[in-house]
Amino acid sequence: MDGVAVQPTLADNTRTTIEADLTRDTSADDSVHAHLKCFNSFEALECIDLEGEAALINNFKGILYMARHAIAGLSSDERKMWPDNSYDYLFGSDDQISGQEHNIIHGVGYMKHITRHISSVHIPIVVQPATIDDEIPDSVFGEMADYAHAIWTCQSTRLFVPVLLIHGVQLSLVVFTRDKWRRVDFGSLAYTDNQPNANAFNILFHAICTLLYFLSLPPQKFGHFCDVSRCIWGKYEFVHRRELANLDQNSVLVDVNINDNSTDSSINIYSSNRIKRTVNMRGRFAHVFRVEKNGRDFILKLAWAPVDQLPESAVYDALKAANIPNIPLIFDSGIIIENSFGYRVEYLLIEDCGISLTKYLLTQSHWDMKWMSDNAAKPMSQIVECIYNAWNAGILHRDISASNILVKGGHIRIIDWGSATLLENSSIDIDAIETKWLFKKETDKYNKYKPDSAGTSLYKSIPVLIGATQRSIVDDIESALYVVLESVFKTRPDNLKVEPIALRLESEQSLAFVRGCCLSDVDYYRQAFGIPYCSERFAWLLDTFREYLFVRNGEYIGSKLAMQPFFERTVEIQQLERILDLIDER
């Protein structure tokens, strides 16, 4: 497995002492050999009224007891060669883990945690009666992946999730990273006969040593970006590394500590304050929390992204340097992990940017479609203006969606610039950003032969839905149009809220075709998005942007966009600037 050692280094004298202790011929009830003899084989386990998973997990627990018993019998000097075990076997069938929808019954957990909760699980254990020599069956792999996903969702400090697989009397470790998985076979956890030879002992000894090695690694060395052995939730400190600081600024590299006592720089992070977001097992994602620091409310974002993508913190630096309005204030940010299995981990402390556009519209008046739509005109113009200003500075957002458009004090905030890219004609000092944020600018380029799939499906432009390989400001503005249309539709009372055809996502290809058809009719398209009537100002705004997006030289091009992924839609920047001027005049 790349990046993870699997064999502990043991001094010869330590190995000899342990070997002697494990194999000496004695009838003492408390000797390691006598204890181990109960677990010589699967048949022996069944003889003591255990079978299947129960027999195997009992064998595993016995092995842990045996190994700890042997180590405890060493002299103080010899014991120093065996690292302390940081974990314990926590869960049994009578004490199932709480706080989860999955049926995780067995696991290795943190000794110092008080509650037996999913946040306490370091390594879940999956048990299968039959030995798995080659490919892991889908049902078993699916169970392990479900466990890994549950832990990714709960534990916001994870870099990867290890899962112990007990299959027959064999032990394996399966590690789930963000988009890959790796398997390491430890070996056998039982002798195959009652009179084991030296080779059988060596196999068992190797498996035990390897298991103990992994159980000796602290969380920050195996699975997490900080030490969570005492608790997962609590008072976190994000400390910039001073030794790497320049004269005029701290390093962007950050160490994370969890403290028992609050300090001026600590941030309280609890599961109850997490903002619900989908956590996928592949690609970029983030844990987002509402937090308090020094009596002020903030949003804390812990973000995972491939190392070949631009750091989100670097994008905010570029936006700030270009004086782009309608973006959130960033109070602190940094990189926690530069590269873990191809992913970077960064954190951002952001202002609370308010509420969704739909909630904002609902606060403006009693429900009336004309009033709601009229109140949506100003946010629509602010969104487009922000996208335009960022484009002028050489930055393309690429994930305009309802969750990324918020309203605070009547003003739009476009958030989550983690998918953004810097354009080749950017006026930004990319070299300075590259140096500061530790990335290589040549990696953040489009592959012009692969689809640009970034974004949220319901709000993607028609070309992106069908796999277009290039993207521009026009695609972000089209996404903004769908966000506003959906937000106005969602203000309708539930008894009138029938899902409109142009907001019905069955597949990306079908949605592109439906929208291509609906938008062709200038008199009908608003109804297709669930807005049968609206204010005159809002109707003018929608019609104006519909023409900008889908009409070229007097011809409707929406059908071509829906069927031809390589069709090139021109930007028409002068037309867009005239529209923005007209909006200001109105």
Side-chain angles (χ1 to χ4, degrees):
M1 181 178 66
D2 298 339
V4 178
V6 296
Q7 176 60 46
T9 301
L10 302 173
D12 289 340
N13 62 334
T14 303
R15 188 187 191 287
T16 302
T17 304
I18 294 291
E19 181 173 356
D21 196 20
L22 288 176
T23 58
R24 65 175 180 235
D25 187 12
T26 174
S27 59
D29 291 340
D30 62 347
S31 71
V32 173
H33 181 70
H35 182 81
L36 182 62
K37 191 173 182 180
C38 295
F39 306 102
N40 276 349
S41 67
F42 194 52
E43 288 79 8
L45 294 172
E46 292 177 330
C47 289
I48 55 177
D49 297 326
L50 294 173
E51 59 181 341
E53 293 185 15
L56 295 176
I57 204 66
N58 199 69
N59 179 53
F60 178 78
K61 293 165 67 176
I63 290 291
L64 287 180
Y65 170 82
M66 173 273 300
R68 291 174 181 173
H69 185 94
I71 293 172
L74 298 175
S75 69
S76 58
D77 289 338
E78 292 169 335
R79 200 178 304 138
K80 292 178 182 178
M81 298 182 182
W82 291 83
D84 292 336
N85 186 353
S86 302
Y87 311 98
D88 196 9
Y89 177 81
L90 287 182
F91 311 112
S93 58
D94 296 330
D95 189 14
Q96 186 172 323
I97 180 173
S98 63
Q100 51 142 359
E101 296 178 357
H102 301 276
N103 189 32
I104 300 178
I105 299 176
H106 305 288
V108 175
Y110 309 106
M111 285 184 175
K112 297 179 181 179
H113 284 206
I114 299 174
T115 59
R116 295 187 173 186
H117 185 269
I118 189 170
S119 62
S120 302
V121 179
H122 181 52
I123 307 175
I125 300 173
V126 172
V127 184
Q128 288 295 313
T131 300
I132 302 172
D133 293 323
D134 298 315
E135 186 175 348
I136 300 176
D138 290 344
S139 58
V140 179
F141 185 83
E143 181 181 3
M144 291 191 296
D146 283 346
Y147 290 0
H149 181 261
I151 290 175
W152 269 110
T153 301
C154 173
Q155 300 181 17
S156 58
T157 58
R158 278 289 179 174
L159 296 176
F160 57 85
V161 179
V163 180
L164 281 174
L165 174 61
I166 301 173
H167 49 111
V169 293
Q170 301 296 313
L171 180 65
S172 300
L173 180 73
V174 179
V175 173
F176 290 87
T177 66
R178 282 304 306 155
D179 56 4
K180 297 181 177 64
W181 66 277
R182 295 166 173 83
R183 170 181 170 179
V184 178
D185 294 323
F186 289 2
S188 177
L189 291 181
Y191 294 138
T192 56
D193 55 63
N194 290 328
Q195 298 296 324
N197 55 29
N199 183 60
F201 168 80
N202 286 332
I203 294 173
L204 177 62
F205 183 79
H206 176 272
I208 294 173
C209 288
T210 307
L211 174 63
L212 293 179
Y213 170 72
F214 278 102
L215 293 183
S216 73
L217 295 175
Q220 66 271 30
K221 296 292 185 182
F222 191 67
H224 294 264
F225 60 66
C226 64
D227 184 2
V228 296
S229 59
R230 294 184 63 87
C231 61
I232 287 285
W233 311 112
K235 303 171 181 65
Y236 282 66
E237 280 190 323
F238 298 87
V239 183
H240 290 266
R241 299 183 190 176
R242 297 287 182 180
E243 68 274 15
L244 299 177
N246 296 322
L247 293 177
D248 59 341
Q249 64 181 19
N250 289 334
S251 167
V252 299
L253 295 176
V254 171
D255 292 320
V256 182
N257 304 311
I258 305 178
N259 301 313
D260 293 330
N261 300 315
S262 293
T263 65
D264 290 342
S265 58
S266 63
I267 299 173
N268 293 333
I269 302 178
Y270 298 106
S271 60
S272 59
N273 294 333
R274 175 186 286 146
I275 298 174
K276 290 186 177 180
R277 297 169 68 101
T278 301
V279 175
N280 298 314
M281 285 293 290
R282 300 176 65 90
R284 63 178 294 267
F285 87 108
H287 286 290
V288 183
F289 300 87
R290 297 189 185 278
V291 299
E292 182 181 338
K293 181 179 179 181
N294 295 331
R296 295 183 59 185
D297 294 329
F298 298 96
I299 299 296
L300 175 69
K301 183 174 185 178
L302 302 173
W304 285 249
V307 294
D308 60 355
Q309 287 188 11
L310 191 66
E312 186 173 1
S313 300
V315 179
Y316 280 117
D317 259 11
L319 291 166
K320 182 179 179 181
N323 294 315
I324 305 301
N326 301 108
I327 62 169
L329 295 176
I330 308 299
F331 295 93
D332 194 18
S333 62
I335 294 175
I336 299 171
I337 297 293
E338 288 187 77
N339 191 336
S340 174
F341 297 101
Y343 278 77
R344 177 196 305 110
V345 184
E346 60 180 315
Y347 96 100
L348 301 98
L349 192 63
I350 311 171
E351 70 165 327
D352 189 331
C353 292
I355 58 178
S356 70
L357 181 55
T358 298
K359 288 183 178 179
Y360 168 75
L361 294 176
L362 287 171
T363 65
Q364 297 306 293
S365 64
H366 296 294
W367 184 83
D368 178 87
M369 181 61 74
K370 287 186 177 181
W371 273 100
M372 291 297 181
S373 60
D374 201 58
N375 287 328
K378 182 179 178 181
M380 175 70 182
S381 62
Q382 289 182 0
I383 296 169
V384 175
E385 188 170 2
C386 181
I387 293 170
Y388 167 76
N389 289 329
W391 166 267
N392 260 354
I395 305 168
L396 186 65
H397 189 284
R398 296 171 68 228
D399 189 16
I400 299 296
S401 64
S403 61
N404 292 336
I405 304 294
L406 301 177
V407 186
K408 182 177 184 179
H411 297 282
I412 285 294
R413 294 287 191 275
I414 298 183
I415 66 170
D416 194 358
W417 292 77
S419 293
T421 190
L422 300 183
L423 306 173
E424 293 183 0
N425 62 346
S426 174
S427 60
I428 296 167
D429 187 350
I430 299 179
D431 292 332
I433 292 177
E434 176 186 38
T435 301
K436 177 181 178 180
W437 290 102
L438 310 175
F439 78 100
K440 296 187 180 298
K441 60 187 178 184
E442 60 267 19
T443 65
D444 186 54
K445 300 294 182 185
Y446 286 129
N447 183 330
K448 294 185 178 180
Y449 301 100
K450 289 185 178 180
D452 180 6
S453 59
T456 306
S457 295
L458 187 62
Y459 311 102
K460 287 180 179 179
S461 68
I462 291 174
V464 175
L465 284 171
I466 67 167
T469 58
Q470 298 186 51
R471 198 167 185 152
S472 74
I473 183 176
V474 187
D475 298 285
D476 275 9
I477 293 175
E478 184 180 340
S479 296
L481 177 67
Y482 300 144
V483 169
V484 174
L485 286 167
E486 184 203 38
S487 297
V488 174
F489 161 71
K490 283 188 172 181
T491 63
R492 302 183 69 179
D494 289 339
N495 63 331
L496 298 177
K497 200 179 294 182
V498 179
E499 186 180 38
I501 187 172
L503 293 175
R504 189 178 305 155
L505 177 62
E506 296 178 355
S507 72
E508 291 195 347
Q509 290 77 11
S510 64
L511 183 61
F513 180 78
V514 168
R515 286 180 175 169
C517 293
C518 294
L519 287 160
S520 65
D521 191 332
V522 69
D523 296 320
Y524 168 76
Y525 77 93
R526 291 191 295 272
Q527 186 171 337
F529 284 90
I531 305 175
Y533 56 93
C534 59
S535 71
E536 181 180 341
R537 181 170 69 145
F538 189 60
W540 173 84
L541 192 66
L542 293 179
D543 291 345
T544 300
F545 278 113
R546 173 194 169 276
E547 182 176 356
Y548 168 70
L549 294 169
F550 302 109
V551 177
R552 293 294 182 271
N553 298 320
E555 178 188 1
Y556 176 75
I557 62 170
S559 300
K560 292 181 180 179
L561 295 175
M563 294 185 291
Q564 301 176 30
F566 295 101
F567 181 83
E568 186 173 349
R569 175 167 52 174
T570 55
V571 172
E572 304 295 337
I573 200 68
Q574 292 182 347
Q575 181 184 356
L576 178 59
E577 290 171 346
R578 286 196 299 269
I579 293 172
L580 293 175
D581 289 340
L582 286 172
I583 291 174
D584 290 339
E585 293 174 4
R586 293 173 70 97

